[in-house]
Amino acid sequence: DAKTTQPNSMESNEEEPVHLPCNHSTISGTDYIHWYRQLPSQGPEYVIHGLTSNVNNRMASLAIAEDRKSSTLILHRATLRDAAVYYCILFGNEKLTFGTGTRLTIIP
Amino acid sequence: GAVVSQHPSRVICKSGTSVKIECRSLDFQATTMFWYRQFPKQSLMLMATSNEGSKATYEQGVEKDKFLINHASLTLSTLTVTSAHPEDSSFYICSARALGYQETQYFGPGTRLLVL
């Protein structure tokens, strides 16, 4: 499976936008870009996914670079409940393989 | 959104006993279910993939005789940890992929297993 690279940790102030980057330079043409997040002691929660075009849903937006070698998850207005580990995953080979993710801390 | 439940949410058992964990998709049919394990401060590691009515496919290094997986219906999969030992203590998480929605997986809340 193609790998992703994310910063280990990020901090953001409450009520401000957060941009979580992900690099995936070896992405194949058919790989979807998925984002999940995991709150402490819980199972992962689906956030968003996309293939080529930018995507929006009630939780977040996903901006995908034109060459698809990177993407950015955007939380438009962070709240304390958004503190979690965010995983950027390339969906390939019929299974989701988790990396280490980005631990997002929200500062009140 | 789709809901996946797990039971029990936490279990403590003695070394040598077997523990069964259930995973149910509550409002959708799951063609494929996945079992993950997560140790403290680590990421999720896929253990096995199961399709309804078929034998599970285990990841390299996962003992199929120790971690028995049954996927008897489109809404239920079970993971049995046989002869559990303290090193099996972990957070076990199941996931299900909905029929017709192959790009999205929904995860259960996890089961914390502590083997004494």
Side-chain angles (χ1 to χ4, degrees):
Chain A
D1 293 324
K3 294 197 174 201
T4 63
T5 304
Q6 299 178 252
N8 288 332
S9 62
M10 289 182 65
E11 287 185 349
S12 179
N13 293 320
E14 192 178 10
E15 298 187 2
E16 290 187 357
V18 182
H19 290 237
L20 296 164
C22 181
N23 288 319
H24 29 79
S25 58
T26 59
I27 189 171
S28 73
T30 56
D31 283 339
Y32 281 83
I33 302 159
H34 285 244
W35 284 83
Y36 285 79
R37 70 181 186 182
Q38 187 178 25
L39 279 65
S41 299
Q42 295 187 27
E45 175 186 24
Y46 167 80
V47 177
I48 201 166
H49 78 278
L51 184 62
T52 56
S53 303
N54 295 343
V55 184
N56 300 296
N57 65 22
R58 63 175 180 83
M59 289 182 69
S61 295
L62 176 60
I64 301 172
E66 198 169 330
D67 63 6
R68 297 206 334 122
K69 293 187 177 181
S70 66
S71 60
T72 302
L73 179 71
I74 303 165
L75 306 179
H76 295 287
R77 190 167 167 270
T79 69
L80 295 177
R81 288 179 293 181
D82 292 321
V85 178
Y86 286 78
Y87 296 97
C88 168
I89 305 168
L90 300 184
F91 177 71
N93 198 27
E94 298 289 321
K95 54 190 178 183
L96 289 177
T97 302
F98 285 77
T100 53
T102 297
R103 182 173 298 279
L104 176 64
T105 301
I106 304 298
I107 302 168
Chain B
V3 178
V4 176
S5 70
Q6 280 185 242
H7 178 79
S9 58
R10 57 193 312 137
V11 57
I12 301 173
C13 70
K14 292 182 179 179
S15 185
T17 61
S18 295
V19 175
K20 180 185 283 189
I21 302 170
E22 288 188 352
C23 175
R24 294 181 185 273
S25 56
L26 297 185
D27 51 0
F28 67 98
Q29 293 185 318
T31 50
T32 307
M33 285 186 168
F34 307 83
W35 286 95
Y36 293 80
R37 180 168 55 180
Q38 185 175 33
F39 292 108
K41 298 191 184 302
Q42 294 186 22
S43 187
L44 284 78
M45 295 298 296
L46 180 65
M47 299 175 67
T49 302
S50 72
N51 291 297
E52 184 260 340
S54 303
K55 287 185 178 180
T57 301
Y58 290 80
E59 295 299 302
Q60 191 172 9
V62 178
E63 300 175 57
K64 63 180 184 197
D65 294 329
K66 182 169 182 63
F67 299 100
L68 301 179
I69 292 172
N70 183 280
H71 191 168
S73 77
L74 284 173
T75 59
L76 173 64
S77 176
T78 60
L79 168 68
T80 301
V81 183
T82 62
S83 186
H85 292 284
E87 58 266 28
D88 298 323
S89 299
S90 188
F91 192 45
Y92 292 86
I93 306 168
C94 75
S95 176
R97 189 169 293 164
L99 184 67
Y101 293 87
Q102 297 303 308
E103 297 85 31
T104 306
Q105 277 180 225
Y106 299 95
F107 287 80
T111 296
R112 190 162 301 282
L113 170 64
L114 176 61
V115 185
L116 301 176

